[in-house]
């Protein structure tokens, strides 16, 4: 396990954009300027309030833990960037496995009234270990990786920083 711990957000950003990962890891934050981020936070705060048991371990912040059922939940706004959601929760499963706790994950999309069950395969473990090494390499770079020019850049909180 890395020291300091790589967070689930960093793993998700690695999947989305290495530049975003780098900016976030340098504490350059534009989150407050994005209306979409605000909407996401509202959904997050209002979903599953009765069941909520958020846990925060060394930067590993999990939306809901159902300890008896061995389940963790991540609450997401939409299925755009779905792959990043998937690897974020797989990373949490990997993290718990490494401290001796076997769990599975659920991604909740309350706005879509959908949920997806997630587990961790051997191939996933290899991918996560390679990803962690790559994240460590990227965040040590003295300069930000290049702009990626993807359609989802327009919804990114760093859009103005990258393109204006
Ligand atoms: S705007 Fe695009 S290039 Fe810039 S950080 Fe976001 S995803 Fe990456």
């Amino acid at each position: 396990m890395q020291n300091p711990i790589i967070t689930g957000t960093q793993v998700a950003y690695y999947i989305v954009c290495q530049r975003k990962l780098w900016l976030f890891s340098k504490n350059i934050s534009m989150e407050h300027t994005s209306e979409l981020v605000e909407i996401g936070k509202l959904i997050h705060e209002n979903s599953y309030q009765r069941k909520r048991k958020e846990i925060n371990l060394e930067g590993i912040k999990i939306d809901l833990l159902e300890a008896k059922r061995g389940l963790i939940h991540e609450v997401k706004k939409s299925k755009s960037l779905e792959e990043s959601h998937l690897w974020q929760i797989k990373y949490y499963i990997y993290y718990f496995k490494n401290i001796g706790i076997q769990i599975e994950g659920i991604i909740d999309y309350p706005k879509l009234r959908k949920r997806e069950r997630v587990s961790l395969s051997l191939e996933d473990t290899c991918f996560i270990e390679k990803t962690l090494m790559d994240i460590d390499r990227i965040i040590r770079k003295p300069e930000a990786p290049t702009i990626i020019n993807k359609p989802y850049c327009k919804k990114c909180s760093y859009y103005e920083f990258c393109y204006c």
Side-chain angles (χ1 to χ4, degrees), residues 36 49-50 82 90 97 101 109-110 118 122 148 150:
L36 283 165
Q49 269 182 349
R50 258 181 263 150
E82 190 179 4
K90 282 184 188 242
K97 193 176 167 199
I101 300 170
Y109 297 97
V118 182
L122 201 57
I148 57 170
K150 295 274 184 187

Side-chain angles (χ1 to χ4, degrees), residues 16-32:
V16 173
C17 169
Q18 294 188 2
R19 181 178 172 87
K20 184 168 181 154
L21 164 68
W22 188 92
L23 292 167
F24 173 80
S25 302
K26 300 291 178 198
N27 289 321
I28 300 167
S29 173
M30 311 280 287
E31 296 280 299
H32 62 284

